[in-house]
Amino acid sequence: MTESAEHENRRPGRLAALLTGITNEAISAAGGFAGGVYMRSSTPGLLRLAVLAGLPGPLFRPWWRLHVDRRFPVADAYRLGVQVVLPDATETMRRYPQFAAGLPFQFGSVYVPVVGASTTYGVLALLRPSASDAIEVLPDRDRMVRLAEYLGAALRTLGDSDGSAVVWDGEPLCVRPPASGPPVGRIGRFTWDPATDVVTADNRLHALLGAPPGQFADTSQALADTVAAADAHQIMTALRETAAGRPPPLPLHVHAVDGTLRLLELWTTRDASVPSGTHPVRGIVLDPDIGSAADGAADLLPEGVFCLDRLGLIVYANPRAAQLLGRPRTQLLGRSLWEGVPWLDRPAYEDHLREALLSPDPVHFHVVRPLDRDGKPPPHPHGGDWLALSVYPGPDILTCKVVPANRVADPSPDPAPADLPQADGSATEVTAMAPLYRPIILAIALTEAVTARQVSAVVMQELLPAFGGRRLAIYLLQDRHLYLAWETGFPQGFLAPFEGVGLDTRLPGVETLTSGRPLFFESMQQLAAAYPGVPLDATEGARAFLPLIASGRPVGSCILGFDRPRGFSTEERTVLTALAGLIAHAMEKARRYDTEAALARGLQQALLPRHLSAHPRVETVGRYLPGTQGMDVGGDWYDVVESGDGLALVIGDVQGHGVQAAATMGQLRSAVRAFALSDRPPDEVLSGTNHLLIDLDPGQFASCCYIRLDPVTGLARVARAGHLPPIIRYPDGHTHILDIPGGVVLGVDPHAQYPATELQLEPDAILALYTDGLVERPGFDIDEGITALRVALARAGSPAARPGGRSLAGVADRLTATARHVADRPDDIALLLTKRRPTPRHRP
């Protein structure tokens, strides 16, 4: 084996050992009960849970994958590079309602990005008991920050060592968290030297194994045979992997000859001077059956008692528990709860178990055991014996009590959280996922969607992966025809023939809407048999056609596609139909928003000038971008007005948004134009406008910058009323922020003065007037935004700018390019650029 190949084989083990060690150290240092590390994956935009300590992996499968653009704390920590501290469930619900809806339990959490140099590798996460406030959690957060910094540096080194990126594409490693106290049960310790194959064991290990010193040879194989002969090969493999720096997921669960469960923990200390594969290995052998919960008294209790560790492993069960659970003790001990008692694998039961793992209080609920004792769930709630189950949380062990119960109520499972989609919209192949989906998650996500496109995106992110779907199409009804609003996963052009089909067309997407009934086809063969001649794509998968009906009004159709044939249980059909109603109401609201927003934008555009006054010696260009958050029109405006033999350059911003702000803006624009047309001086224009606004008393104020420019001489007189300073770019390329004195905003002080300042605008110089929407960014000082605009203005007019970009219109487009491509603009943006043309040269 070459050196590079050997390194490549060692690298995954080194990465796993590094992540596992940091996670457990974070739990110990920051007082948590569980934690993990999310890592970026080879799929763009997708994070994967790499290590989970202190919680059973199967119970938390919905959180194994996470989009970086989701409203989840892990995603925010990764995407924004910020630390997220959630001291309790209340703060979690306030900031991340979708996350809280999936895990509505009493716990706090902390999330710290893992960064090495300029690369963000993932997020270190910690779950901890609830705190009274965020201040109480800050010391723990600081400890996690230090660990995250160490991890980031180590990951950078690990990646640079072979030039490849550090990613995680597999399932998470589920590991035991650090013990909060001495292990429960008998314990023995040993050390193994791989170089000599000598095992040194303490007396307690010999006592635990019932083998006095000297009775078995002190070799690794002898140790493995004595601890668990049937599982000796697993022990030997674990010893070799640990010595090579690739510790397997631990603890290792093995069984003695008599079936007794034993746990094996291994670790090593790396030393660069020691050859690979020869690092000394230390370990413990734990016999957890002999402890406080498993003494003779517990075996004699009339109630059923069994114990789970924090990974869901059954470490003890008394005879009564085995009897009530319907499973022999030999099939319980050493197995996961879902393997030992498979009929507990129901969403409602799993939700209660999650609560016991994440909350400090006992959890009580009822379960139904199937009568046939074959381990399968009963077909209906009356098909088994009722049991009352109580789970008492502990730092290391969960103690469960089970007793017979008389109950007839329907235990229909409460849906649990949806599986999270991958970045490309795909999901792990699942069956019968509907019971695992909590409809409130989709409802919460839909409340944040405003436009029809946003609603469609939420459906793609939430509904499609929850049911294992790969394709989605949403059609909306308009003038008795269906038009495609959103599609993903279908072959390119496949849906084109269905665009604009009428309601009299015999297609499943039409008939589900006209009949109001959902249509489910378990395979393409079923669909073709029901609708002969209907075009089919290349897959053989199932299809679900859902009617979108809101308050009795038809809205459209939703189509879910699957890659393979599958059935739809009664519960799934019910859930999908209910979810379609949620989607229909959200889409109806979004369509009203789109219509009303278009009207509002039309009103706003009508208040802005269609044409700017022109002069042969002056070029002006204006740009206006409306805010995209909400439907309220804004109060930003700009104008160029003839003023005597010159031009008046105006820009302003009315405080607030809405129709009132737009109306006030229209009144101020008219007033300024009137003053400008009468060629009043700038200070008088602003004073007169100020008095007008005070007399109108709209309860609003406005900022304004007014400049009277002489196109021939370039003399400009400037007055400001609380507005941002102009920026000038000189012909030689350097720029300057004009520190011009000014007065307070308009509409506040009737005695305010607005002094005028003179400046010279040279030919080919560019004067920029703008509103705060162009320079304000959350979390940054506005002065930084103004400086950034000044730098951008210098670059936009430089010779290095692309051809056409040096024109005044090109400069305006470059200054607003970033804002145009931002999906969420919280404020309006207005920009007015002015440039004097050079004096034309006359030929002799």
Side-chain angles (χ1 to χ4, degrees), residues 58-122:
L59 269 186
F60 294 86
R61 182 180 291 272
W63 294 271
W64 284 10
R65 303 187 309 278
L66 187 67
H67 274 276
V68 297
D69 59 354
R70 298 294 295 276
R71 287 288 305 277
F72 275 62
V74 170
D76 278 1
Y78 180 87
R79 186 182 67 255
L80 304 176
V82 299
Q83 302 151 17
V84 179
V85 178
L86 304 173
D88 55 22
T90 301
E91 182 68 6
T92 303
M93 176 59 77
R94 185 185 70 81
R95 294 177 58 185
Y96 298 97
Q98 286 180 259
F99 176 59
L103 295 171
F105 311 125
Q106 295 298 323
F107 68 95
S109 53
V110 183
Y111 309 86
V112 178
V114 177
V115 182
S118 59
T119 301
T120 302
Y121 293 102

Side-chain angles (χ1 to χ4, degrees), residues 182-247:
V184 177
R186 295 187 299 168
I187 185 171
R189 304 177 183 275
F190 67 90
T191 302
W192 174 55
D193 185 353
T196 61
D197 194 28
V198 172
V199 173
T200 304
D202 66 5
N203 291 332
R204 285 179 295 180
L205 179 58
H206 286 285
L208 184 152
L209 299 177
Q215 184 169 325
F216 67 88
D218 292 335
T219 65
S220 57
Q221 187 65 57
L223 173 70
D225 291 338
T226 307
V227 171
D231 298 322
H233 65 287
Q234 297 184 40
I235 298 176
M236 292 299 298
T237 300
L239 287 169
R240 287 191 291 267
E241 291 289 302
T242 304
R246 301 188 300 268

Side-chain angles (χ1 to χ4, degrees), residues 489-512:
F490 286 95
Q492 185 174 4
F494 173 75
L495 296 178
F498 305 104
E499 179 71 3
V501 296
L503 294 185
D504 57 349
T505 308
R506 189 172 187 274
L507 289 170
V510 174
E511 293 192 356
T512 189

